[in-house]
Amino acid sequence: MPRRNLSTGKRFAVTLSDQSISLLNELAKQGIYGRSASEVGGRFIDEALQRFSESPRFPLTGLSSARRDR
């Protein structure tokens, strides 16, 4: 059963290769990560950003000090 994203979001346009879109469509057919290619892609982007922010490679401005101290 796919996980449901409980946070609110906004639309964000992204350009991907044809191969990436095909892969996202195949994953969406399985329904594990989402029901559509855009939902699957959004979930992957969210996950990558979460990993990046946990151990940032670049100084990130605008984050609270509590978030950076984790």
Side-chain angles (χ1 to χ4, degrees):
M1 174 178 243
R3 294 181 300 170
R4 186 168 169 93
N5 186 353
L6 300 178
S7 63
T8 60
K10 294 184 179 183
R11 294 184 65 78
F12 182 78
V14 177
T15 302
L16 299 172
S17 68
D18 291 335
Q19 294 85 356
S20 293
I21 293 170
S22 293
L23 180 57
L24 291 172
N25 280 315
E26 289 301 315
L27 290 169
K29 287 178 187 176
Q30 295 178 15
I32 297 170
Y33 299 103
R35 291 173 283 173
S36 68
S38 60
E39 193 174 311
V40 173
R43 187 172 311 278
F44 283 0
I45 291 170
D46 282 342
E47 179 70 24
L49 289 170
Q50 181 179 357
R51 287 183 187 165
F52 180 84
S53 67
E54 286 173 354
S55 57
R57 294 177 178 94
F58 305 102
L60 299 176
T61 59
L63 295 178
S64 70
S65 59
R67 175 71 181 143
R68 281 183 267 142
D69 292 340
R70 283 188 181 179

